[in-house]
Amino acid sequence: MAYENTDGGAAGAGSCEPGVSDSLRTFGAVVQALREHAGLSREEFAELVRFSKHTVASVEQGRRMPDRDFVERAEVATGGTGALRAAAPHLTRQAGLASWFREWARREATAISLYTYECRVVPGLLQPEAYARAVSLAVPPLPDPEEMEQRIAARLARQALLAVTRKPPTAFSFIVEQAVLERGTGGEEVTRELFDHLLGLVERNWNVELQVMPLRQPVHAGMDGSMQLAETPDNRWFAYSEGQQNGRLISSPKEISLLQQRYAKLRSQAMTPEDSVGLLKRLRGAL
């Protein structure tokens, strides 16, 4: 199943189309060849499959994972050869993931420890659906409806990583700025749902530790921005940092050591998990 943009994740906008792969590129070329063999322009084909011309172009260029409706309608529009239907199950790219986030997502999926500091938005692994939708709509350009649903599905699917039934369950540490929680993204109802979701998650998942960084913190180790750290099953560490429309996987032991030092300092500067839960309850009660 698919995963998420920033925090690749965490924020919401930007391209969430998958990076070009051989399977997607080949599938797209077959779609284009069958379309042209049927004598259809891209605009005419788009009308027949009931997807936008942009979506058709993205599929043909190997930049987008076609969903089931696209495949079925494209089969009919191109004469029912069966080629597209037969090829679709072999597409391995995951829709909903920004291409720059994909390598980190693979590390994240098998991590035994995962540390996240976020100063922009509630981390994607902690987002309820309404909040995820509000975040995706907040940052231009606005996604089309198909892309929006892929993005939300991807983000929610990643949250299976939080399960305590995983063997072994991943140990999670999240540090989130209080300002992010009090921003009111999506409005009061969405914020209320967010607080309920976070409180329920911490209560149910003993493997999840949530700390809030207070609004006033004169000495702050996170001035350089958000970060994520992951420990693999063979006890190697990787890190991930993200900016506007890009992200970077970090494997250098020297850089990772620096980020681990900063994260340890952030943990000491943030509220305790118990005080963080107390703050969440007070914020929830004030709505």
Side-chain angles (χ1 to χ4, degrees):
M1 187 62 189
Y3 292 92
E4 64 184 27
N5 163 4
T6 87
D7 150 357
S15 170
C16 279
E17 294 179 349
V20 175
S21 70
D22 288 343
S23 63
L24 281 175
R25 189 183 293 111
T26 300
F27 183 87
V30 172
V31 171
Q32 182 173 349
L34 290 174
R35 170 179 64 76
E36 292 175 348
H37 182 73
L40 297 169
S41 68
R42 188 169 284 165
E43 291 82 357
E44 291 168 334
F45 184 72
E47 289 185 13
L48 290 174
V49 297
R50 303 199 296 281
F51 282 86
S52 69
K53 184 176 74 170
H54 169 75
T55 297
V56 172
S58 293
V59 171
E60 291 186 348
Q61 293 161 13
R63 295 186 292 107
R64 191 185 189 109
M65 174 74 77
D67 65 17
R68 183 179 302 173
D69 287 341
F70 183 97
V71 173
E72 292 300 322
R73 293 169 192 168
E75 271 288 355
V76 174
T78 56
T81 65
L84 300 181
R85 192 177 291 116
H90 302 289
L91 297 176
T92 56
R93 286 295 197 175
Q94 297 166 314
L97 259 184
S99 57
W100 62 80
F101 184 67
R102 191 172 305 282
E103 180 60 31
W104 171 254
R106 284 195 284 268
R107 306 288 182 184
E108 177 190 70
T110 59
I112 60 173
S113 301
L114 188 67
Y115 302 161
T116 301
Y117 164 64
E118 187 53 77
C119 57
R120 305 161 301 170
V121 44
V122 172
L125 287 172
L126 303 181
Q127 294 179 9
E129 181 175 351
Y131 182 91
R133 197 173 296 277
V135 167
S136 292
L137 290 172
V139 185
L142 294 178
D144 62 42
E146 302 157 43
E147 183 182 344
M148 167 69 83
E149 295 312 311
Q150 286 184 351
R151 188 178 298 174
I152 300 305
R155 196 159 304 178
L156 297 179
R158 284 179 59 225
Q159 295 176 9
L161 300 175
L162 299 171
V164 297
T165 54
R166 283 165 56 91
K167 297 191 183 299
T170 303
F172 291 92
S173 168
F174 295 96
I175 302 173
V176 182
E177 291 288 337
Q178 182 176 343
V180 167
L181 299 172
E182 295 199 45
R183 183 168 296 141
T185 300
E188 188 172 291
E189 184 175 345
V190 171
T191 303
R192 185 181 297 112
E193 180 187 346
L194 171 65
F195 292 157
D196 288 342
H197 178 76
L198 293 175
L199 288 168
L201 187 64
V202 171
E203 180 180 343
R204 294 188 306 271
N205 294 64
W206 51 262
N207 60 326
V208 174
E209 179 182 85
L210 175 62
Q211 293 179 260
V212 176
M213 183 64 73
L215 289 174
R216 295 184 61 83
Q217 179 51 268
V219 181
H220 195 311
M223 294 297 187
D224 279 357
S226 303
M227 71 176 86
Q228 296 187 70
L229 292 155
E231 181 185 10
T232 68
D234 60 354
N235 305 116
R236 294 183 62 198
W237 284 86
F238 292 87
Y240 179 75
S241 66
E242 191 170 68
Q244 297 278 347
Q245 295 293 301
N246 63 78
R248 185 168 73 99
L249 181 71
I250 302 168
S251 58
S252 163
K254 185 175 181 180
E255 288 187 75
I256 290 170
S257 176
L258 175 63
L259 293 177
Q260 286 175 324
Q261 292 176 50
R262 292 179 181 177
Y263 196 85
K265 195 69 174 177
L266 284 166
R267 269 181 146 168
S268 71
Q269 294 167 342
M271 299 179 190
T272 66
E274 294 75 19
D275 288 345
S276 298
V277 167
L279 174 65
L280 283 171
K281 289 180 177 178
R282 291 194 297 275
L283 293 174
R284 171 64 175 85
L287 290 176

